[in-house]
Amino acid sequence: LTQDELKKIAAYKAVEHVESGMILGLGSGSTVKHAVDRIGELLQLGKLHNIIGITTSQNTHQQAVSLGIPLSDLDDHPVLDLAIDGADEVDPHLNLVKGRCGSLLREKMVEGACKKFVVIVDESKLVDYLGGSGLAMPVEVVPFCWKFTAKMLQDLFRNSGCVAKLKCGESGEPFVTDNGNYIVDMYFKKDIGDLRAASEAILRLAGVVEHGMFLDMATTVIVARELGITVKNK
Ligand code: DER
């Protein structure tokens, strides 16, 4: 099975949690894209109705519009029944790294407003500890003096061999989020230890908007593997 086929399997399994009448948080990225497609298909087939979607990025918004999924926002629906989204990393306690597609702020707002948050991943996303994949842990920062903020972030985690880099597009220009901010990607060489303390230290920096560690937020993680699906509940 290809990685995308595994993503689709996890996504379809997650959509089994969707019931008619639900207000749904719709995440961002290539895994949840399959779930949004499936929800659109079930609405089209009349197997689901009275669904309201609340999206976490312009990309997901456009996909949902093209599928005819009715949409609203947190202002009108401050409490959601269920959110479905992918993740970049999942640790054994179901803590997540998210945001490599640049949507972490809206994802954290929407998924923080949901009664249930189902995460869908292929097995390549499982790590022993956050940051363990050696890939980026994104932090959304204001563009104003972003170098200053990046240096403060890097110095905060000097003991974990942290390197902080501005997320850029293909031609080297800064990536700009849907909220008009920049992303500083943090790379760790060692376990950052106390995640709650790390989260608070990052959020204390005035130039930081939000970070990509989603601690104690997932209620269920669906993992698609070659040998089948495993479901981990909080
Ligand atoms: O950026 C995000 O938070 C995405 O949900 C990401 O974590 C997963 O993206 P993928 O499904 O394309 O791997």
Side-chain angles (χ1 to χ4, degrees), residues 68-209:
I69 298 174
L71 297 177
S72 184
D73 61 27
L74 288 176
D75 291 342
D76 289 343
H77 296 281
V79 178
L80 286 70
D81 298 300
L82 170 69
I84 301 174
D85 200 356
D88 298 304
E89 292 183 0
V90 181
D91 81 2
H93 308 286
L94 307 194
N95 292 311
L96 315 173
V97 166
K98 285 179 55 49
R100 266 180 224 141
C101 63
S103 310
L104 69 94
L105 177 61
R106 296 189 184 191
E107 288 172 345
K108 200 175 262 192
M109 288 177 70
V110 170
E111 286 143 21
C114 293
K115 294 174 194 161
K116 278 178 67 181
F117 175 24
V118 176
V119 175
I120 48 180
V121 294
D122 64 277
E123 57 192 336
S124 72
K125 305 298 186 65
L126 302 182
V127 295
D128 294 336
Y129 57 86
L130 293 196
S133 70
L135 300 172
M137 199 289 276
V139 180
E140 184 151 342
V141 302
V142 294
F144 173 73
C145 292
W146 67 267
K147 287 186 189 124
F148 167 76
T149 303
K151 179 83 173 57
M152 301 274 276
L153 284 166
Q154 189 164 283
D155 289 352
L156 263 183
F157 297 96
R158 210 183 4 257
N159 299 340
S160 305
C162 176
V163 172
K165 288 183 197 154
L166 182 69
K167 181 185 177 81
C168 292
E170 275 77 46
S171 47
E173 81 292 351
F175 173 88
V176 180
T177 69
D178 288 343
N179 318 301
N181 296 313
Y182 286 174
I183 298 256
V184 170
D185 282 327
M186 298 178 73
Y187 298 86
F188 300 98
K189 291 193 179 55
K190 281 188 295 187
D191 188 346
I192 44 185
D194 182 337
L195 297 176
R196 193 57 72 183
S199 168
E200 281 154 19
I202 291 171
L203 293 173
R204 267 198 296 274
L205 299 177
V208 166
V209 178

